[in-house]
Amino acid sequence: MEKIIINTKNAPAPIGPYNQAVKAGNTLYISGQIPVNPATDELVSGDIKAETEQVMLNLKSILEEAGLGFDNVVKSTIFIMNMGDFSQINEVYGKFFTGQFPARETVQVAALPKGVNVEISMIAVG
């Protein structure tokens, strides 16, 4: 099996020993993305909708680098600090899909990298 590393300057650089995404066969595994603006390397914070929007834009950039889009996503995992933010996160998340939605779970966690409020990972096939 060939493993292809996917990286783009249009999403935040990894902050550890991992890649933005790895394509194995026709499946793309995207590492969890947090609300870092890749142009400024600054965290987007203070508004959960703005944070989620940035996360989704980062994911979009990685999908595009791999020649895919949100319609190729088959699985998402959303990690959030406060389940009370779920409806706002869900509202923003849903706007990025035009076809069928992927499978998904949403998990409240005790902490996320850099103290962010939301992180999303995805698996896409194409």
Side-chain angles (χ1 to χ4, degrees):
M1 171 190 66
E2 183 180 10
K3 188 166 81 170
I4 300 169
I5 305 304
I6 305 293
N7 282 304
T8 176
K9 292 179 182 177
N10 297 321
I15 56 175
Y18 63 92
N19 288 293
Q20 291 171 337
V22 175
K23 190 169 185 181
N26 66 343
T27 304
L28 181 69
Y29 300 89
I30 304 175
S31 296
Q33 295 299 301
I34 60 174
V36 172
N37 181 328
T40 63
D41 203 33
E42 298 291 323
L43 283 173
V44 174
S45 62
D47 175 74
I48 195 63
K49 285 186 175 183
E51 292 176 44
T52 306
E53 178 88 14
Q54 184 63 60
V55 169
M56 295 300 288
L57 291 172
N58 293 343
L59 290 161
K60 180 181 179 186
S61 293
I62 295 168
L63 286 163
E64 288 175 348
E65 184 69 19
L68 302 173
F70 284 106
D71 287 343
N72 297 99
V73 176
V74 296
K75 178 78 165 53
S76 297
T77 303
I78 302 176
F79 303 96
I80 60 178
M81 290 292 295
N82 180 353
M83 198 57 79
D85 291 333
F86 176 77
S87 64
Q88 293 179 79
I89 292 168
N90 202 44
E91 180 184 332
V92 174
Y93 171 92
K95 291 179 183 178
F96 282 83
F97 293 91
T98 57
Q100 297 176 338
F101 293 106
R104 183 184 84 185
E105 66 260 336
T106 302
V107 181
Q108 181 174 317
V109 297
L112 288 167
K114 295 191 173 198
V116 302
N117 294 303
V118 60
E119 178 176 0
I120 303 175
S121 65
M122 292 182 165
I123 300 172
V125 177

